[in-house]
Amino acid sequence: MDYFHAFWVGGLICALAQILLERTKMLPGRIMVLLVCLGAVLSFVGLYEPLAEFAGAGVTVPLMGFGHNLMKGVREAVDENGFIGLFMGGFKAAAVGTGAALIFGYLGSLIFQPKMKK
């Protein structure tokens, strides 16, 4: 049942993002930012953890999981360092994922040689 819950919750998130993409004038970047912010807000109000326990990878792998990771890092850094933790916690928590995305994106661009559309 874990796989089933991960599949339908993750699919619902993707379907909602696709509906926003097709029915509104929102650009893909704004929808991605919306999902990251939604994950951070759900984490802040305490709803993300129960949702993650229920849906597993269906909620932790998409962009909402990145928002939760940022919020968790900020919360831990504020507990340790006080106010300055607001500015350093997100960077510390997301450094590995962001670094990997940059490195693999660059390697992908070397292999596939992307071209700009006219």
Side-chain angles (χ1 to χ4, degrees), residues 22-112:
E22 291 183 9
R23 300 284 183 193
T24 67
K25 293 184 180 185
M26 291 178 74
L27 298 174
R30 291 185 183 200
I31 294 171
M32 291 185 338
V33 168
L34 179 71
L35 289 172
V36 171
C37 290
L38 180 63
V41 168
L42 287 175
S43 178
F44 179 74
V45 298
L47 295 176
Y48 188 85
E49 288 293 333
L51 183 62
E53 286 181 25
F54 174 74
V59 121
T60 58
V61 174
L63 290 167
M64 288 175 56
F66 184 69
H68 167 68
N69 191 24
L70 288 173
M71 181 57 72
K72 191 167 82 171
V74 168
R75 185 175 294 136
E76 290 172 0
V78 166
D79 289 342
E80 290 177 13
N81 304 316
F83 181 73
I84 194 71
L86 285 173
F87 304 103
M88 61 188 268
F91 292 117
K92 191 174 180 182
V96 173
T98 305
L102 290 171
I103 290 169
F104 289 122
Y106 178 71
L107 291 175
S109 73
L110 291 176
I111 294 169
F112 297 106

Side-chain angles (χ1 to χ4, degrees), residues 12 14-24 31:
L12 182 65
C14 292
L16 292 173
Q18 189 66 37
I19 289 169
L20 283 175
L21 188 61
E22 291 183 9
R23 300 284 183 193
T24 67
I31 294 171

